[in-house]
Amino acid sequence: MAPVTVYSMDLNTKRSQGILPRLRILMRKAGLENVIAKDDLTAIKLHFGELGNTAFVRPLFVRPVVESVQKAGGKPFLTDASTLYVGQRGNAVDHLNNALYNGFGYSSIGAPLIIADGLNGRDEIEVPVESAHFQTAYIGAALVHANALISVAHFKLHEMAGFGGALKNIGMGGGSRRGKMAQHSTVSPVVAAKKCIGCGMCLRQCVHGALSLVKRSATEKSPNPKITRLARIDAKKCVGCAMCLHACKQGAMDVNWATDIPAFLERMIDYAAAVLHGKRQKSLFINFLTQISPACDCHSYADAPIVGDIGILASTDPVALDKASVDLMHKQPVLPTSCLAKKADTTDKIRAVYSYIPWEHQFAYAEKIGLGTTEYVIEAI
């Protein structure tokens, strides 16, 4: 496969031209006008940032993306799907309030916000996937129904993927709650006995009858001696929808986290391919290499960035884009205030933080299934 062009811009400015006008030029160079047709319902897939996080892409950078889509004749909307973990983005009401708190209001963005998998994370569509892991993927319905897709991702490190860029933004981010569950684990959730208070809230949310309250055994410790009941999951009935995780306010329900990281990376890439099903030629990907934090924006905080701000990259190939982003990050000197400052070897900055993650595997697998190429050339605007 011939090298793909990844367009880049640094953050240097002058009085006659600031960052936002250059961002518009970057998108035009990368082919946004070829992706968007008149009246295309265009999903701008972002991460609104968990409440308290300060590293996500700022709304003022998203506004030019919205305006460029509108100028090309499209009808943009901002979107993300419900989270698997308990937080401020687990249902559409909390998620939208969180987004508004972080500045993504209509008055500042100029486009509506739509949570891709609906009010409670169940608005999903099964998309066919030819994979050793899946036959179908559960994708947020709004992403499937959209005519075109613009991924706007904050590039950073990640505790399971190694890094988060375009591939994770659409793969993990595009899955419904059930889809995220399928990527993280192939088995049912687990119940932490020492946290479960036997309230039965999880039972009310389970429409598959997979949950029941049972008497605790002698080995199942209780948070209170008076609490004798415990939630129990029937793995044969559980479909992995993960609704119980959000129903439990005690944090007693948890993902049975997959320990096979390469398989997790493959499942995430499968989901990225599913999100792009039917719109591979109708998608553009933008990575913001700014405030590159050592962990995901799903945390309610953001640690000091590991390197200085690099710039913004864009491409129609998410694999080439992420590979270029990783390579540029590795070339940067470590900031003395970051968690990498005292590390002996920071040549591979991802492994310096997460030594257990074979992060390159996602690129090999993405190329294997034809999602993109790691061969690229950078063209600076």
Side-chain angles (χ1 to χ4, degrees), residues 136-296:
T136 58
Y138 300 98
I139 306 300
L143 284 167
V144 178
H145 291 312
N147 305 116
L149 170 71
I150 309 293
S151 166
V152 178
H154 171 229
F155 183 82
K156 67 279 181 186
L157 302 193
H158 188 268
E159 302 88 324
M160 285 190 72
F163 70 89
L167 292 169
K168 181 179 178 297
N169 186 43
I170 62 172
M172 182 58 65
S176 65
R177 186 175 298 124
R178 187 195 304 206
K180 290 179 174 66
M181 182 75 174
Q183 293 175 69
H184 279 301
S185 178
T186 57
V187 294
S188 303
V190 292
V191 180
K194 62 182 180 181
K195 294 182 180 179
C196 180
I197 62 173
C199 65
M201 288 296 293
C202 55
L203 275 69
R204 301 178 193 177
Q205 286 296 321
C206 183
V207 298
H208 303 283
L211 279 159
S212 59
L213 290 178
V214 300
K215 187 176 180 179
R216 291 173 185 266
S217 68
T219 60
E220 293 171 324
K221 295 182 179 180
S222 173
N224 187 315
K226 295 182 179 180
I227 298 174
T228 60
R229 298 193 305 172
L230 173 72
R232 182 72 41 84
I233 300 173
D234 185 338
K236 293 182 180 180
K237 294 181 179 179
C238 178
V239 299
C241 69
M243 292 302 295
C244 57
L245 273 71
H246 278 270
C248 182
K249 303 307 179 185
Q250 312 304 317
M253 293 287 180
D254 200 3
V255 176
N256 196 338
W257 297 101
T259 55
D260 185 349
I261 298 297
F264 160 74
L265 293 172
E266 291 179 7
R267 292 194 291 266
M268 183 182 76
I269 297 302
D270 283 338
Y271 261 71
V275 170
L276 295 178
H277 181 74
K279 55 173 68 72
R280 186 64 188 85
Q281 306 304 317
K282 300 283 292 178
S283 300
L284 180 72
F285 309 91
I286 306 167
N287 279 359
F288 280 72
L289 279 65
T290 57
Q291 201 172 340
I292 301 177
S293 49
C296 184

Side-chain angles (χ1 to χ4, degrees), residues 133 155-172 183 261-273 287 317-323 325-326 329-330 350-351 354 357-374:
H133 302 286
F155 183 82
K156 67 279 181 186
L157 302 193
H158 188 268
E159 302 88 324
M160 285 190 72
F163 70 89
L167 292 169
K168 181 179 178 297
N169 186 43
I170 62 172
M172 182 58 65
Q183 293 175 69
I261 298 297
F264 160 74
L265 293 172
E266 291 179 7
R267 292 194 291 266
M268 183 182 76
I269 297 302
D270 283 338
Y271 261 71
N287 279 359
D317 186 320
V319 181
L321 178 65
D322 276 0
K323 183 62 164 62
S325 299
V326 169
M329 176 186 67
H330 283 333
I350 300 173
R351 277 196 172 81
Y354 305 112
I357 299 178
W359 55 268
E360 304 97 330
H361 184 67
Q362 61 189 288
F363 289 135
Y365 185 74
E367 286 189 308
K368 178 182 177 181
I369 67 171
L371 189 58
T373 178
T374 56

Side-chain angles (χ1 to χ4, degrees), residues 1 18 24 34 42 51 76-77 122 133 230 280 298 315 328 336 354-355 378:
M1 184 180 290
R24 293 183 176 92
N34 297 325
T42 304
L51 195 64
F77 64 93
R122 289 182 171 139
H133 302 286
L230 173 72
R280 186 64 188 85
C298 291
S315 177
L328 286 173
Y354 305 112
S355 60
I378 290 184

Side-chain angles (χ1 to χ4, degrees), residues 108-129:
S108 61
I109 296 296
L113 279 61
I114 300 174
I115 301 307
D117 55 352
L119 183 64
N120 57 11
R122 289 182 171 139
D123 191 2
E124 62 196 13
I125 293 177
E126 292 187 52
V127 176
V129 178

Side-chain angles (χ1 to χ4, degrees), residues 5-193:
T5 301
V6 175
Y7 296 86
S8 73
M9 58 171 276
D10 58 31
L11 301 179
N12 297 321
T13 62
K14 52 188 177 182
R15 181 174 297 180
S16 60
Q17 190 176 69
I19 290 176
L20 301 185
R22 294 181 65 213
L23 175 56
R24 293 183 176 92
I25 295 172
L26 177 74
M27 289 184 286
R28 187 170 69 249
K29 287 278 190 180
L32 181 141
E33 293 171 352
N34 297 325
V35 167
I36 308 298
K38 180 175 171 47
D39 294 331
D40 272 352
L41 296 174
T42 304
I44 299 178
K45 170 63 182 72
L46 332 133
H47 189 307
F48 296 118
E50 187 64 34
L51 195 64
N53 190 279
T54 55
F56 58 89
V57 178
R58 299 295 187 273
L60 68 94
F61 290 115
V62 179
R63 180 76 185 233
V65 181
V66 168
E67 292 173 343
S68 294
V69 171
Q70 292 170 334
K71 184 178 179 180
K75 297 179 178 180
F77 64 93
L78 274 56
T79 192
D80 195 6
S82 301
T83 58
L84 185 59
Y85 61 88
V86 177
Q88 296 299 314
R89 297 179 300 122
N91 62 70
V93 176
D94 290 341
H95 204 154
L96 290 171
N97 283 332
N98 185 103
L100 292 171
Y101 185 90
N102 283 343
F104 292 96
Y106 190 91
S107 60
S108 61
I109 296 296
L113 279 61
I114 300 174
I115 301 307
D117 55 352
L119 183 64
N120 57 11
R122 289 182 171 139
D123 191 2
E124 62 196 13
I125 293 177
E126 292 187 52
V127 176
V129 178
E130 295 182 7
S131 164
H133 302 286
F134 306 112
Q135 291 184 329
T136 58
Y138 300 98
I139 306 300
L143 284 167
V144 178
H145 291 312
N147 305 116
L149 170 71
I150 309 293
S151 166
V152 178
H154 171 229
F155 183 82
K156 67 279 181 186
L157 302 193
H158 188 268
E159 302 88 324
M160 285 190 72
F163 70 89
L167 292 169
K168 181 179 178 297
N169 186 43
I170 62 172
M172 182 58 65
S176 65
R177 186 175 298 124
R178 187 195 304 206
K180 290 179 174 66
M181 182 75 174
Q183 293 175 69
H184 279 301
S185 178
T186 57
V187 294
S188 303
V190 292
V191 180

Side-chain angles (χ1 to χ4, degrees), residues 334-351:
V334 168
L335 290 177
T337 55
S338 78
C339 64
L340 291 181
K342 295 182 180 180
K343 298 283 186 178
D345 183 7
T346 57
T347 305
D348 183 334
K349 293 175 175 61
I350 300 173
R351 277 196 172 81

